[in-house]
Amino acid sequence: MKKLEDYVLSIPDFPEPGIIFRDVTSVLQDADGLQLAIDELMKKLEGLDFDVIAGAEARGFIFGAVLAYNLHKPFVPIRKKGKLPRETISVSYELEYGTAEIEIHKDAITPGQRVVLVDDLMATGGTTKAMIELVEQLGGIVVKNLFLMELAGLKGRDKLKGYDVSSAIIYEGK
């Protein structure tokens, strides 16, 4: 039986020399790989008390929405600036290769709601830290940050000290 890591293609020197790009689309394109990914993420939520799952655009939508469906929980999209139709709050943050701004509907999280944040990959932790800021601005409580993959060499966990962080696959490098 294949391990989840076996479904992830590693592309050397992308997007620049010295970087090994971990391609999540190879997991999504294989029915067994996708099922294994969801099963592994589901295990990491066993016994956790929470109210809602929120996910980052775009691959966090894929994994987050499936988890929400399986657990009969609501799903909240966190999107790039300008993509949500109702009143929003937003936050700017640093990326590994630049800056970005994400937003959430103002009524998406209610005070006291316990939130699981989901994304496909944690690199530097910038996107996740920004998602945490959005949820907390709305009065939500982030109870877990869940990733399919983590690049430990980029030290994203350092930005998330004090928060529960869990990844199905941890790559030691960058």
Side-chain angles (χ1 to χ4, degrees), residues 88-174:
T88 62
I89 60 168
S90 65
V91 65
S92 296
Y93 63 100
E94 295 292 319
L95 290 168
E96 188 178 353
Y97 305 107
T99 60
E101 189 171 359
I102 56 174
E103 62 186 6
I104 189 172
H105 281 132
K106 264 188 154 177
D107 62 355
I109 305 291
T110 57
Q113 275 191 313
R114 297 170 57 79
V115 181
V116 171
L117 296 176
V118 177
D119 208 351
D120 69 319
L121 175 73
M122 181 176 60
T124 64
T127 303
T128 306
K129 186 68 172 160
M131 290 194 301
I132 290 169
E133 283 183 47
L134 290 173
V135 168
E136 290 180 346
Q137 281 182 41
L138 295 175
I141 303 158
V142 175
V143 296
K144 188 176 235 13
N145 297 280
L146 183 59
F147 307 96
L148 182 66
M149 299 180 289
E150 176 180 344
L151 304 178
L154 294 174
K155 302 191 184 305
R157 284 181 186 250
D158 291 352
K159 283 189 181 153
L160 306 178
K161 285 206 184 303
Y163 293 95
D164 184 356
V165 176
S166 188
S167 303
I169 303 170
I170 299 177
Y171 294 102
E172 293 306 318
K174 299 177 181 182

Side-chain angles (χ1 to χ4, degrees), residues 3 12 15 57 59 63 80-81 114 120 139 145 160 164:
K3 297 184 305 190
E57 185 173 352
R59 292 170 304 267
F63 296 106
K80 294 173 185 160
K81 180 89 173 146
R114 297 170 57 79
D120 69 319
N145 297 280
L160 306 178
D164 184 356

